Amino acid sequence: MRQYIILCFLAFIAFSSCNNNKQTENSAFADTSFNAFKDRFMDEYWKTNPSSAIFIGYGKYYDTLKIPDSAAFAGDVAFAKNYIDSLHSFDYTGLSDNNKIDYKILENQFLSTVWYIDTFKLQHWDPSGYNIGGECYEIISRNYAPLNERLKTLSKHLQHADAYYSAAMQMIKQPTKEHTELAIKQNEGSLGVFDASLMDSVKASTLTQPEKDTLQAHIALTTAAIKNYVAWLQKLLADKNQQFRSFRIGEELFNQKYKYDLVTDNSAKYLFDKAVEAKNNYHNESYKLANALWAKYCGAQPKPADSLVLIKTVIDKISLHHASPEHLLDTAKKQVHDLEHFIIANDLFNYDTTAPLQVRIMPAFAAGVTLASASQTPVYSKRETTYYNVEDLTKVPAAQAESALREYNNYTLQILSIHEAMPGHCLQGVYSSNKSPDIIQAVFGNGATVEGWAVYVERMMLDNGWSNNSPEMWLMFYKWALRECCNVIVDYGIHCLNYSKEDVVKLLKNEAFQEDAQIEEKYHRATVSQVQLCSYFSGATDIMALREKYKQQEGSAYTLKGFHEKFLSYGSAPVKFISELMLKK
Ligand code: ZN
Ligand code: ZN
């Protein structure tokens, strides 16, 4: 009897463990072969896209310059189609969660490559897509190898620059005026990469004389090719008979691009309606706050009849409270420190406060574009310091500094620090570089997830008591949030609803309280980009919707920290794919 029981028990163990083994072996096999597929694909991808490999710091193929002729574009389509087939040979259901996400990201990536070339045909109408300045700058300035080696790489990279720009001129069929102007400006800027300082480092290098001669000949060939391209584009612009394509891409293409770029189940029209609704809601809330703050900031001055004018008047008064140019960096540093303490004290994240995050003056090469930014650890390197860069306003003319400081006053500077650093971009960067790095997710990270996260945390922090519900803080938050929803209204409005420049100016000036320079910049950005301006609001909307569903699913087990930790563990994958894994069927 006793023996029987033991036997039975053993048999059961043997059976169950065998069964288990078989299962894990199967999925382990699926994942092993999928991982091998990813590695193979990534290297092939960089080989076919050497310029992207340079930007990402991959370390191979830097000396190759791909000539952008029609054969190259046809090759890219074939490459993507081929990989769609390989991808579909894998059993999706047998993959780990991480690989499931990679599968979906790659599928979207391949389909979108085919769409960009065959349907959107960007290569025919955007001359700014042809520019080798940026990658050359990377080759020279990144310290990935000794100077001599970098210069030799540069020399090889440049040897066919003339063929590169000839192919570009062949590819351009009917450009938009706006992208032609952009291409001229940016290629003229690229000439700066090959200026006297490069010649000095060539002279100072220990290359042999023949190597120096070859490099200098290649640089001369390149600058001539760029100048020739610029002159050709200028001639196009001056030609009265040249037919330019409209920069408005129209509803159909916009919807398709929206789907590929943002990866969301919602339609562009849905997001537009949501944005209009949010705008009206922010106006109502702002009016209540501004009305209550009127006496404090405007004294006995009579209240304007127009509610939007009243809001704007109070916002302008509050904006006068700002840091001095000398104290901007210290103010930002203190904010990040306080924000770190706040998220720990309020149990919002399991944040590792020893993670290297530095607040620093904006490096020169990035200066002059925006007041602040976040620099992430490059994809192909291990955990490095994450930077929150702040512009040095002591170096700009006083009037310009004053205008920037009113825009980023005592209140909005806090929102900026939340967005860029804590717990926005920098914190997200720390999480994604701490987790076992998934190259697919890092390389093809979704812009709507990244920006959506930074936008999501702005409100989340205020909702959780950052700044103690100060009415000034909330009013300035609504102004800030109006920019995000108006980005959607402007983008969709221009491309799908035929908004004129006047429509955009009226909207941003009267309803989003923006300054002329900002409005001009936004309008220009919306004419040379499509969909990107929707990514902030779209990502945040999707994250909020996911949080609601996750909260219902988890019931009493739900915590905000739990949601944040789980969400961030998926890196920068599209929110749609993260949702599929976080929400049980
Ligand atoms: Zn001032
Ligand atoms: Zn951002």
Side-chain angles (χ1 to χ4, degrees):
M1 189 68 194
R2 192 187 156 101
Q3 212 173 0
Y4 169 78
I5 291 172
I6 291 171
L7 270 179
C8 191
F9 187 52
L10 278 178
F12 173 70
I13 290 178
F15 176 72
S16 69
S17 74
C18 172
N19 204 19
N20 262 343
N21 272 347
K22 206 175 159 204
Q23 241 175 22
T24 40
E25 258 169 38
N26 264 347
S27 66
F29 175 73
D31 282 317
T32 311
S33 67
F34 192 73
N35 289 340
F37 165 78
K38 288 195 292 188
D39 290 343
R40 203 168 64 239
F41 158 72
M42 268 333 309
D43 189 64
E44 283 280 316
Y45 180 80
W46 298 128
K47 200 173 175 180
T48 32
N49 298 280
S51 298
S52 313
I54 296 170
F55 281 109
I56 210 110
Y58 184 60
K60 275 164 88 178
Y61 315 121
Y62 286 16
D63 49 8
T64 319
L65 177 65
K66 183 168 163 181
I67 307 304
D69 53 17
S70 45
F73 285 102
D76 287 349
V77 170
F79 178 86
K81 285 185 173 166
N82 194 11
Y83 267 102
I84 295 175
D85 290 343
S86 312
L87 187 71
H88 287 167
S89 72
F90 284 93
D91 173 23
Y92 174 79
T93 53
L95 298 174
S96 67
D97 278 5
N98 198 49
N99 277 336
K100 277 186 176 135
I101 286 193
D102 286 355
Y103 181 104
K104 296 253 176 153
I105 288 176
L106 286 173
E107 189 176 45
N108 183 67
Q109 181 64 28
F110 300 143
L111 292 172
S112 105
T113 299
V114 175
W115 178 83
Y116 263 87
I117 295 170
D118 283 353
T119 306
F120 200 44
K121 300 183 197 294
L122 196 61
Q123 70 276 17
H124 292 318
W125 56 265
D126 178 9
S128 75
Y130 305 103
N131 186 349
I132 63 170
E135 63 208 59
C136 293
Y137 178 77
E138 295 290 312
I139 292 175
I140 306 161
S141 63
R142 283 238 195 111
N143 207 10
Y144 63 93
L147 179 66
N148 275 4
E149 229 173 279
R150 285 181 277 148
L151 290 175
K152 281 189 223 170
T153 301
L154 180 70
S155 188
K156 281 196 196 143
H157 193 81
L158 295 180
Q159 61 184 328
H160 302 303
D162 48 351
Y164 175 96
Y165 281 104
S166 304
M169 292 184 275
Q170 290 284 316
M171 287 310 294
I172 295 164
K173 303 284 183 242
Q174 194 194 11
T176 79
K177 207 163 172 280
E178 291 71 17
H179 291 89
T180 306
E181 286 163 350
L182 184 67
I184 292 172
K185 201 172 145 215
Q186 294 184 336
N187 272 285
E188 276 175 342
S190 287
L191 287 171
V193 174
F194 307 102
D195 67 2
S197 70
L198 174 62
M199 289 308 184
D200 288 346
S201 43
V202 174
K203 274 183 214 139
S205 74
T206 52
L207 291 179
T208 64
Q209 195 53 46
E211 283 169 341
K212 285 186 185 176
D213 292 345
T214 309
L215 173 54
Q216 276 173 333
H218 288 163
I219 291 172
L221 169 149
T222 303
T223 51
I226 295 176
K227 283 178 184 162
N228 184 43
Y229 183 56
V230 167
W232 183 77
L233 293 172
Q234 278 163 338
K235 228 177 97 195
L236 278 188
L237 277 186
D239 184 355
K240 294 279 171 284
N241 296 320
Q242 175 66 38
Q243 293 277 318
F244 287 102
R245 178 194 167 104
S246 166
F247 65 81
R248 299 175 206 279
I249 66 171
E251 179 121 34
E252 199 184 338
L253 286 176
F254 192 90
N255 276 328
Q256 293 170 356
K257 191 168 196 279
Y258 186 87
K259 195 183 98 202
Y260 288 118
D261 289 1
L262 300 189
V263 193
T264 170
D265 284 330
N266 297 322
S267 68
K269 176 70 169 62
Y270 169 87
L271 193 75
F272 174 79
D273 291 341
K274 267 268 195 206
V276 171
E277 190 189 310
K279 183 195 71 175
N280 295 335
N281 174 33
Y282 297 156
H283 283 163
N284 291 338
E285 296 300 320
S286 299
Y287 178 71
K288 286 183 218 157
L289 292 164
N291 198 31
L293 288 168
W294 182 266
K296 180 171 171 189
Y297 286 91
C298 302
Q301 193 185 323
K303 284 181 185 173
D306 184 326
S307 62
L308 293 175
V309 175
L310 187 148
I311 297 168
K312 169 86 163 94
T313 310
V314 177
I315 284 177
D316 284 348
K317 292 276 189 198
I318 297 176
S319 303
L320 298 176
H321 299 262
H322 57 74
S324 67
E326 294 74 21
H327 290 123
L328 186 63
L329 183 70
D330 285 342
T331 309
K333 271 186 189 162
K334 181 169 187 314
Q335 282 176 359
V336 170
H337 174 263
D338 293 348
L339 286 163
E340 280 179 343
H341 280 259
F342 183 87
I343 64 170
I344 301 299
N346 288 275
D347 213 23
L348 301 175
F349 294 90
N350 268 332
Y351 179 65
D352 171 9
T353 45
T354 61
L357 164 62
Q358 254 186 49
V359 187
R360 67 171 180 191
I361 287 288
M362 185 91 69
F365 69 85
V369 182
T370 162
L371 185 81
S373 66
S375 308
Q376 308 286 10
T377 300
V379 171
Y380 279 98
S381 45
K382 275 269 162 213
R383 177 173 163 179
E384 278 179 20
T385 304
T386 307
Y387 295 101
Y388 174 30
N389 306 311
V390 179
E391 186 87 45
D392 184 0
L393 289 180
T394 60
K395 299 269 159 61
V396 307
Q400 196 186 324
E402 175 65 22
S403 150
L405 287 165
R406 285 186 189 177
E407 183 65 28
Y408 296 101
N409 52 60
N410 284 350
Y411 301 95
T412 41
L413 186 64
Q414 296 177 45
I415 305 174
L416 184 68
S417 295
I418 292 171
H419 178 108
E420 296 296 339
M422 191 55 55
H425 293 316
C426 289
L427 176 132
Q428 203 216 7
V430 169
Y431 271 73
S432 56
S433 62
N434 274 357
K435 71 173 221 153
S436 61
D438 184 286
I439 224 62
I440 300 291
Q441 289 168 35
V443 171
F444 302 110
N446 185 267
T449 301
V450 173
E451 286 307 341
W453 172 259
V455 170
Y456 159 77
V457 295
E458 294 162 4
R459 169 131 212 173
M460 183 279 292
M461 290 293 278
L462 263 63
D463 281 339
N464 281 281
W466 174 258
S467 88
N468 298 318
N469 273 321
S470 130
E472 282 92 344
M473 189 69 208
W474 274 106
L475 179 59
M476 297 313 278
F477 168 78
Y478 288 126
K479 189 208 168 194
W480 182 282
L482 278 166
R483 174 165 70 185
E484 288 152 1
C485 60
C486 284
N487 279 346
V488 174
I489 301 175
V490 167
D491 195 11
Y492 186 83
I494 280 185
H495 289 287
C496 305
L497 305 174
N498 224 17
Y499 276 18
S500 66
K501 184 170 183 184
E502 288 65 43
D503 294 332
V504 170
V505 172
K506 237 165 59 191
L507 173 80
L508 296 182
K509 199 175 180 67
N510 302 338
E511 299 198 53
F513 317 115
Q514 296 188 1
E515 300 304 321
D516 293 345
Q518 241 187 321
I519 295 170
E520 196 61 42
E521 189 199 311
K522 186 58 54 70
Y523 177 75
H524 179 251
R525 185 169 158 194
T527 61
V528 295
S529 73
Q530 318 83 20
V531 174
Q532 200 275 333
L533 281 168
C534 290
S535 60
Y536 307 80
F537 191 72
S538 164
T541 303
D542 287 352
I543 294 172
M544 274 309 288
L546 168 60
R547 193 178 83 179
E548 278 319 299
K549 287 185 195 144
Y550 187 73
K551 194 172 176 178
Q552 299 217 324
Q553 168 184 292
E554 299 297 300
S556 58
Y558 170 86
T559 62
L560 187 54
K561 178 158 91 180
F563 170 74
H564 290 155
E565 292 295 319
K566 185 102 186 141
F567 183 85
L568 289 175
S569 76
Y570 293 105
S572 308
V575 181
K576 177 178 149 132
F577 302 158
I578 297 177
S579 304
E580 283 165 14
L581 295 176
M582 280 181 76
L583 302 174
K584 297 168 196 121
K585 299 286 138 47

